[in-house]
Amino acid sequence: QRSIPNSNSLLRIVRHATEASCAGIVIVNALVAHCSSMFERKNRVTGLMDSVKAHHRLEMACETAVRTLTRAPTVTVAVDGLYEGMDMAVPVSRPRFDMLVSGLLRKAELLLQTFSAEEFDVVLVAGNVCEMPAALNLIRTKLFPNAHTGRGDVPPEEAVAIGCARHAASVLACPTHSKSIGDSLNGMEGVGPATRKVPLCPLSIGICKIPNDKTNGDLETFISNNAYTLIGIGDALPANVSKCFKFSNGTEGSSIAVVQIQGGAGQKSKVLGNVENIPLDADNFEITMELTTAGKLTVAVNGGPTCKL
């Protein structure tokens, strides 16, 4: 999945691809089938997979073995009294396990090859399957060697749980909640915080190409009629917006300014600051504007250094 900020600074999916045959349960099932075959061959029995209880116990043991093989070179899948009073102990080495899941990894590689490596600045992994050396080598070395790995202090098998916990903590700590869990319990109105209130932008901010001969008296009307809005009144904060602009005559004899556009509550149009680092002969460029919840405004041109206003 790849996401970029939209006009409301929320993330949206640009493109995604899924392959159910590469899911973690499929990898566990491959090990289950191998262990079942070895057990039946050794003990000369059949019907292990037909026993719901035995199948479930074997599946639980194989899930643990898959996690162990991400850190150890070998593991023994052991279950006492698995089937008809017989114990099972099947040693599995990492090379043997890699051979069992090689077909699944090839499917995953074909899926990931539909994306270009240049599309991604950061590649994150989640799930204990991604801790497998073969899978990690495929992602980090073969397919996306130049992508940043992100934070290294979050284990892939715990990434989703930690992310959910941190998001919940941020929601509970949000000062905009109208009541806490304790208040809800005391009032017997249910457990949990109230709906989170998202801060909104109180004014409209954009850019405007202003001729150098414009005087202060004409400026307010000119901005109101010619400015391009990037962050509007009521947009969720923090906001991060990028937009391409094209001027037929370039920027010579004028300046590109960040402006406040006339709105309600007596707001007047005015210049907040000038956008630097734009070549005089440039006829098109990309402006990236970011406004934080604390009211800090930054502007960048063509992905270059940011300028604080």
Side-chain angles (χ1 to χ4, degrees), residues 81-289:
L82 175 63
Y83 185 64
E84 294 184 355
M86 293 177 286
D87 301 335
M88 185 192 75
V90 178
V92 181
S93 64
R94 185 180 290 168
R96 177 64 175 171
F97 179 67
D98 289 344
M99 186 185 72
L100 291 174
V101 300
S102 59
L104 301 176
L105 292 178
R106 279 195 294 270
K107 289 183 180 180
E109 181 178 359
L110 292 174
L111 177 68
L112 293 173
Q113 283 177 345
T114 61
F115 295 94
S116 171
E118 288 73 22
E119 289 185 71
F120 301 93
D121 299 316
V122 180
V123 174
L124 305 178
V125 295
N128 57 49
V129 172
C130 291
E131 287 191 305
M132 293 166 44
L136 203 58
N137 181 67
L138 172 66
I139 296 171
R140 298 293 188 209
T141 305
K142 189 172 182 180
L143 295 177
F144 307 106
N146 300 320
H148 192 269
T149 59
R151 296 181 56 168
D153 61 336
V154 178
E157 64 176 355
E158 300 175 3
V160 175
I162 291 176
C164 291
R166 288 181 174 172
H167 178 68
S170 67
V171 170
L172 291 174
C174 179
T176 58
H177 285 302
S178 61
K179 51 189 174 182
S180 65
I181 294 180
D183 295 334
S184 298
L185 287 173
N186 293 332
M188 300 299 291
E189 296 179 3
V191 179
T195 303
R196 184 176 183 178
K197 298 178 182 178
V198 178
L200 305 178
C201 183
L203 46 82
S204 293
I205 304 174
I207 71 165
C208 184
K209 179 182 177 184
I210 302 177
N212 295 336
D213 58 356
K214 279 292 176 184
T215 62
N216 291 334
D218 303 333
L219 204 53
E220 183 178 339
T221 302
F222 184 84
I223 292 174
S224 299
N225 295 332
N226 297 279
Y228 298 89
T229 302
L230 290 179
I231 301 175
I233 297 176
D235 284 354
L237 297 180
N240 187 307
V241 184
S242 296
K243 189 173 183 179
C244 292
F245 293 92
K246 184 173 183 180
F247 297 102
S248 57
N249 299 325
T251 59
E252 189 173 359
S254 60
S255 61
I256 304 299
V258 178
V259 296
Q260 172 184 314
I261 304 171
Q262 183 177 4
Q267 295 175 354
K268 296 183 178 180
S269 299
K270 63 180 180 180
V271 175
L272 301 178
N274 290 329
V275 181
E276 308 293 342
N277 304 324
I278 299 180
L280 294 177
D281 57 347
D283 58 354
N284 64 83
F285 47 84
E286 182 185 58
I287 294 287
T288 300
M289 182 178 294

